[in-house]
Amino acid sequence: MKEILHEIIKSSLKKAMNSGILGLSEIPPFTLERPKEERFGDFSTNLALIIASQLSKKPSDVAGLIVSNLNGYSNIISKVEVAGPGFINFFMTRDFWLKGLSEVIKKADRYGSLNIGANEKIQVEFVSANPTGPLHVGHGRGAVVGDVLANILKKAGYDVCKEYYINDVGLQMETLGLSTFIRYRQLFGEEIEFPQNGYKGEYIKDIARDIIFKKGDHFLKMTEREALPFFIEFTAEVILNGIKKDLSEFGVYFDRWYSEKTLYERGMVDTIINWLKEKEFVYEKDGALWLKASAFGDEKDRVVKRGSGYYTYLASDIAYHKEKYERGFKRVIDIWGADHHGYVPRMRSAIKALGFDEKSFSVILIQLVNLKRGGQVISMSTRSGEFTELAEVVREVGRDAVRFFCMMRSSDSHLDFDLDLAKKQSSENPVYYVQYAHARICSILRQTAERGIKIPDIEEKKGLSINLTPLKLPEELSIIKRILMFPELIEKMALSLEPHLITHYLLSLCGEFHSYYNKHRVVSDDTDLTNARLILVKALGIVIKNSLDILGVMAPEEM
RNA sequence: GCGCCUGUAGCUCAGUUGGAUAGAGCAACGGACUUCUAAUCCGUAGGUCGUAGGUUCGAAUCCUAUCAGGCGCGCCA
């Protein structure tokens, strides 16, 4: 919709430029917006304000010039106004909107699909929680944001790969294996002390029990050194399987699970660090190897290889990101917990050192989640044992509610997750509010079918023969306009990487529908009106369904 | 001490990347089911956009300072 008008404005601007009344050589980038108030039109542009400052002319005069070159579109534009400091406001014809509405029906589940991604390969890496314990609610938020963002990018025409990076190597893995080993021995009655930095969760004991069940006392006579490899591998695998299970129950699936260990096994970490050394982006100091991060925007240099000879996490991460680009991704998006924000400049400087465009690398930081019950915040301390597991919350309030709630706030705001609200079956609960709208629409369509009223099928009739002109109410027009905003929303979310906007869109759309539903009947004695309204409702159902699909939330047909 | 995020109605938050008179939901009060689902709707109120400067035609939005909360500042991940 917006594109059509965008082209019109550009062509009329060209006309004005060719006729010499505007001393411009190029069309500057300008925005076309949906003003928040109806009286400012359907679309508004600040074009004149932008040009005016370049030409040192009055914005309103420039606007007038542009407008005077906007002739011959009376079937699309009903009125153009210059308002305020020099905004140009466009009022579109009803035909313009009604035509758009029939497009929605024709496109159905493809409605909202765009081509702005041009099938470009893009990778979204998210969750990537260490396999040292079950996922908690904070991970869940990151999981939804990543999953939904991936869906949006797909819808926008990108070739998206969802990836989980497994930190299955290093000191923490040793600690993990040791934790299980100690528990194992304790279960046999040995009185040994549990390490201070060990993983104290109950799940470690469960895993130790499982090992006893499968292998008996086989490891009891072994030294720590002998037994550890098995305990590490076994524990990590059990935990990772648990993570995979939790995620799949949460509706989050990955295209690829990428093991850090394989980077080492393939020698990729050595290779890249050597390459950086040759480039002199890495140097030796105090027995360690340092990345010259400060030369690439970080505040200080960072260790990539410790004096002990072990690589740091950064080293394998550099190798990993290099490998991402080598696999052909034009853009790389990492979703991290906000507690890793100090790591962003470090990684960014590494990307630059590797010679990649830093604009191709984005990090989305996910802020904290506070669980609330009975108005009280449940402590979410990361101290062992005090976090709330994702699976627990999903079990309590349901997948749909968790997913929807996690998408209601921008990623960089803290999220208060009200468990009581998420379970409520009323309009206070946003997820029910939206799902109910969908169920209502399905119910209307179902019942008209039962009564033998034929739902007009636009596709059959080759599009435009269905008469939509009975849709005259301001509410109807307003709903139609919002429906037709959907592709613009997808574009905006894909470009700004702000997937949470989709819940806001759904809530306003469904609000308008509920209100309309209570005021007007879709099915009446007036056949033409009924047909037209059925189309409207059907289109609404399509947009709600498509939006919920993106969110990974069920669109129930009855409730 | 340094860095990042946040600060908007009593509460939870939007605010279209610098636009026009700052918006919703909840909580409160009053109403609406002989109706396509009342899991819904309709009506009534609330503001020094943390504070102070600055940038310009124009600032909740950008810059500086400052206050408050959160997080991070390791040869941990």
Side-chain angles (χ1 to χ4, degrees):
Chain A
M1 292 289 107
K2 192 167 138 183
E3 279 316 297
I4 299 172
L5 184 58
H6 208 266
E7 288 308 314
I8 291 176
I9 296 170
K10 268 202 256 178
S11 76
S12 66
L13 190 59
K14 262 185 210 146
K15 261 195 270 173
M17 277 155 53
N18 291 341
S19 63
I21 29 177
L22 277 175
L24 266 186
S25 50
E26 268 176 30
I27 300 179
F30 62 96
T31 59
L32 203 49
E33 290 173 350
R34 302 259 193 171
K36 31 191 163 183
E37 284 190 61
E38 236 175 283
R39 65 198 172 88
F40 297 134
D42 295 314
F43 294 96
S44 175
T45 181
N46 59 352
L47 178 60
L49 293 142
I50 293 171
I51 301 180
S53 57
Q54 293 177 23
L55 301 181
S56 58
K57 282 185 177 167
K58 271 177 73 180
S60 52
D61 293 347
V62 177
L65 277 174
I66 297 167
V67 170
S68 63
N69 278 278
L70 268 170
N71 300 316
Y73 298 104
S74 59
N75 56 330
I76 295 174
I77 305 169
S78 66
K79 191 170 67 170
V80 185
E81 278 179 0
V82 176
F87 291 102
I88 307 173
N89 298 336
F90 298 88
F91 296 79
M92 312 308 279
T93 61
R94 208 153 59 89
D95 275 359
F96 174 78
W97 297 116
L98 295 182
K99 205 175 161 193
L101 185 64
S102 57
E103 289 295 311
V104 177
I105 306 281
K106 275 196 258 182
K107 290 186 180 150
D109 55 341
R110 288 192 337 274
Y111 176 60
S113 295
L114 305 175
N115 223 344
I116 56 170
N119 221 30
E120 189 177 274
K121 281 187 77 175
I122 186 165
Q123 190 216 36
V124 186
E125 183 217 316
F126 58 110
V127 190
S128 299
N130 298 335
T132 54
L135 297 178
H136 61 249
V137 184
H139 294 126
R141 187 179 184 193
V144 185
V145 170
D147 196 38
V148 175
L149 180 64
N151 289 340
I152 290 167
L153 292 169
K154 277 180 206 164
K155 192 91 180 158
Y158 290 91
D159 179 8
V160 184
C161 179
K162 297 191 280 183
E163 198 155 309
Y164 187 118
Y165 181 60
I166 312 161
N167 303 118
D168 50 2
V169 72
L171 202 63
Q172 53 162 359
M173 284 292 109
E174 312 252 321
T175 310
L176 181 70
L178 184 64
S179 302
T180 316
F181 186 53
I182 302 289
R183 290 299 186 213
Y184 173 86
R185 290 170 61 179
Q186 284 177 340
L187 284 168
F188 278 104
E190 278 190 46
E191 295 204 2
I192 35 175
E193 208 180 320
F194 194 76
Q196 193 70 154
N197 60 348
Y199 293 93
K200 301 183 185 70
E202 201 59 31
Y203 58 93
I204 295 290
K205 289 183 196 163
D206 292 339
I207 293 168
R209 270 184 214 108
D210 194 27
I211 292 174
I212 294 174
F213 178 73
K214 286 181 175 138
K215 304 273 182 179
D217 61 0
H218 176 73
F219 301 99
L220 216 48
K221 38 198 176 294
M222 287 192 183
T223 62
E224 187 181 303
R225 183 194 255 275
E226 287 168 334
L228 215 47
F230 172 82
F231 277 84
I232 291 173
E233 201 173 322
F234 190 92
T235 309
E237 195 186 321
V238 169
I239 291 175
L240 192 61
N241 284 337
I243 289 174
K244 286 181 179 173
K245 180 165 163 277
D246 288 352
L247 285 170
S248 75
E249 275 166 13
F250 196 33
V252 176
Y253 301 93
F254 287 88
D255 299 306
R256 184 157 180 180
W257 295 75
Y258 199 105
S259 154
E260 180 184 9
K261 199 155 66 174
T262 63
L263 285 168
Y264 285 102
E265 287 165 356
R266 286 177 286 159
M268 299 181 71
V269 183
D270 285 325
T271 307
I272 195 63
I273 297 302
N274 286 334
W275 184 84
L276 286 168
K277 229 189 280 181
E278 277 167 34
K279 292 268 172 188
E280 296 186 352
F281 294 151
V282 158
Y283 62 92
E284 214 173 321
K285 194 184 92 184
D286 305 333
L289 279 181
W290 298 73
L291 173 73
K292 265 191 200 164
S294 60
F296 298 97
D298 200 359
E299 47 182 34
K300 48 184 168 180
D301 294 346
R302 307 291 179 176
V303 171
V304 288
K305 195 175 191 176
R306 299 191 278 259
S308 61
Y310 287 101
Y311 284 114
T312 61
Y313 180 82
L314 179 61
S316 49
D317 232 353
I318 293 172
Y320 178 43
H321 281 78
K322 172 96 176 359
E323 209 269 349
K324 289 185 183 189
Y325 285 98
E326 277 167 359
R327 274 190 277 156
F329 294 113
K330 299 285 179 252
R331 284 192 65 193
V332 167
I333 300 170
D334 288 0
I335 298 181
W336 299 345
D339 52 343
H340 288 69
H341 70 252
Y343 201 76
V344 178
R346 204 174 305 189
M347 198 61 235
R348 188 171 293 283
S349 59
I351 297 280
K352 282 199 257 182
L354 291 171
F356 299 112
D357 182 0
E358 64 171 317
K359 283 203 285 294
S360 67
F361 173 69
S362 322
V363 180
I364 298 176
L365 295 173
I366 306 289
Q367 290 290 338
L368 216 83
V369 178
N370 284 315
L371 285 178
K372 273 169 93 176
R373 194 194 297 279
Q376 295 291 312
V377 173
I378 304 170
S379 167
M380 281 293 289
S381 143
T382 42
R383 276 179 294 154
S384 40
E386 277 204 36
F387 51 81
T388 310
E389 285 184 31
L390 171 64
E392 235 173 87
V393 180
V394 171
R395 221 176 295 128
E396 182 178 342
V397 307
R399 177 207 281 196
D400 287 347
V402 180
R403 293 188 66 116
F404 199 96
F405 273 66
C406 282
M407 292 309 296
M408 287 185 28
R409 303 279 172 260
S410 107
S411 298
D412 47 29
S413 291
H414 290 199
L415 173 69
D416 278 349
F417 191 137
D418 188 332
L419 291 165
D420 301 320
L421 178 62
K423 283 189 288 189
K424 253 186 215 165
Q425 304 202 348
S426 75
S427 60
E428 290 167 56
N429 184 347
V431 66
Y432 277 90
Y433 187 81
V434 171
Q435 290 181 316
Y436 186 54
H438 188 264
R440 258 186 167 170
I441 287 164
C442 290
S443 173
I444 296 171
L445 298 175
R446 198 165 48 235
Q447 292 197 23
T448 49
E450 278 166 12
R451 286 196 217 164
I453 301 171
K454 215 177 163 207
I455 299 168
D457 189 330
I458 278 200
E459 201 134 21
E460 264 173 36
K461 295 189 177 176
K462 287 270 181 273
L464 304 172
S465 57
I466 179 81
N467 182 16
L468 293 173
T469 51
L471 299 175
K472 290 195 168 104
L473 296 170
E475 298 95 306
E476 290 167 336
L477 215 52
S478 169
I479 292 174
I480 293 169
K481 287 176 187 178
R482 204 180 286 280
I483 288 173
L484 295 176
M485 218 181 266
F486 186 60
E488 293 159 38
L489 175 75
I490 300 291
E491 178 178 1
K492 190 187 170 189
M493 292 190 297
L495 295 178
S496 66
L497 307 181
E498 292 177 312
H500 71 284
L501 297 174
I502 189 121
T503 52
H504 297 139
Y505 173 74
L506 269 173
L507 286 167
S508 16
L509 187 68
C510 293
E512 275 195 286
F513 167 69
H514 283 309
S515 172
Y516 174 69
Y517 177 93
N518 272 275
K519 205 164 158 194
H520 308 286
R521 290 191 61 83
V522 173
V523 180
S524 66
D525 297 337
D526 184 337
T527 317
D528 285 346
L529 182 62
T530 302
N531 282 342
R533 285 186 174 170
L534 283 172
I535 291 292
L536 172 62
V537 164
K538 202 173 168 183
L540 249 173
I542 287 169
V543 182
I544 295 173
K545 174 74 165 61
N546 291 1
S547 300
L548 287 173
D549 281 350
I550 285 172
L551 278 171
V553 170
M554 295 280 286
E557 299 194 355
E558 48 189 315
M559 289 171 80

